[in-house]
Amino acid sequence: PDGIHWAASKNNPILKLHSDTGNCAFWDPILKTYVAYVRIHGNGRCVGRTESTDFETWSEPEIVYPPSTKDRARKWDHYGHSVTPYEGLYVGLTWIFPVIPVSWDPKAHTPVTWPELTVSRDGRQWQRVAFGKPFLPPGPLGSFDHRQIRTASSLVVLEDRILLLYSGSRDAHVRTHKFDIGLATLRLDGFASLDAG
């Protein structure tokens, strides 16, 4: 109830790393081990990474994706990070969170969290595909997801489609915010496209 505590090893004391958001854990078929992406506080909210061979004892999380200089200039943190091993690489959706007063204002209508597409070849070095462009943009004013979008832990491939489950909210970043569940779909391999003029 008060967050997740990760054990560094059976010989070391428990690391008290509090996380009050969704984390992403999965079996990595490339590395043949369990991997989790968690929130770590470094210079703001950062993406941390930890591994386990048994899903009980975890390595000490390391920061693998802190906010960039461009993020810091906009006061953007990396609130969460969902990752899917996909066709020999890692596809990530980093939840961007502007650390500005309007994010907590229940009367405002500006976006509070949204996912941006990231990619990695090793699960440690991440690159943003299109900085500042939501991969799944918040919905129109009045919709259930017009202020916050947080993606599920992993994408789901179903036949010729990719399913993207997410939670959406019209609320500000406050203790009482409520979320509903949404579903977006992509064509297989449809992470990017080129539109002719």
Side-chain angles (χ1 to χ4, degrees):
D2 64 344
I4 296 174
H5 298 254
W6 303 89
S9 73
K10 293 181 180 177
N11 300 325
N12 292 335
I14 290 177
L15 297 169
K16 293 187 178 178
L17 301 173
H18 181 269
S19 180
D20 64 350
T21 191
N23 296 293
C24 176
F26 56 91
W27 173 257
D28 187 326
I30 300 168
L31 298 177
K32 309 288 190 225
T33 193
Y34 294 103
V35 175
Y37 289 90
V38 299
R39 181 196 296 160
I40 295 181
H41 286 272
N43 183 11
R45 293 169 181 88
C46 305
V47 175
R49 184 180 182 282
T50 178
E51 293 184 5
S52 173
T53 57
D54 60 8
F55 211 77
E56 291 181 18
T57 303
W58 293 83
S59 63
E60 182 173 349
E62 61 178 313
I63 294 174
V64 294
Y65 193 35
S68 67
T69 303
K70 285 169 64 174
D71 287 311
R72 302 279 7 118
R74 295 184 182 198
K75 299 186 190 244
W76 286 359
D77 277 358
H78 294 173
Y79 198 85
H81 189 67
S82 55
V83 176
T84 304
Y86 187 87
E87 298 296 329
L89 52 85
Y90 301 91
V91 173
L93 292 171
T94 304
W95 313 348
I96 305 301
F97 173 64
V99 187
I100 53 178
V102 73
S103 294
W104 289 273
D105 183 353
K107 295 179 183 172
H109 296 293
T110 56
V112 176
T113 55
W114 63 88
E116 292 191 12
L117 185 63
T118 56
V119 67
S120 174
R121 296 215 174 264
D122 63 4
R124 296 176 187 279
Q125 302 292 320
W126 291 90
Q127 295 178 340
R128 192 102 50 100
V129 174
F131 182 89
K133 293 195 67 124
F135 184 70
L136 178 61
L141 183 63
S143 65
F144 81 96
D145 59 358
H146 89 264
R147 292 204 76 189
Q148 296 195 56
I149 292 182
R150 301 180 186 187
T151 53
S153 290
S154 297
L155 303 169
V156 176
V157 176
L158 180 64
E159 298 172 354
D160 63 344
R161 296 181 303 154
I162 298 172
L163 309 181
L164 173 58
L165 292 155
Y166 68 96
S167 58
S169 179
R170 59 175 51 101
D171 296 329
H173 186 261
V174 293
R175 191 173 293 272
T176 58
H177 53 189
K178 296 184 176 108
F179 286 88
D180 291 309
I181 297 173
L183 172 65
T185 61
L186 296 171
R187 63 178 169 78
L188 202 59
D189 302 334
F191 297 103
S193 66
L194 180 63
D195 297 327

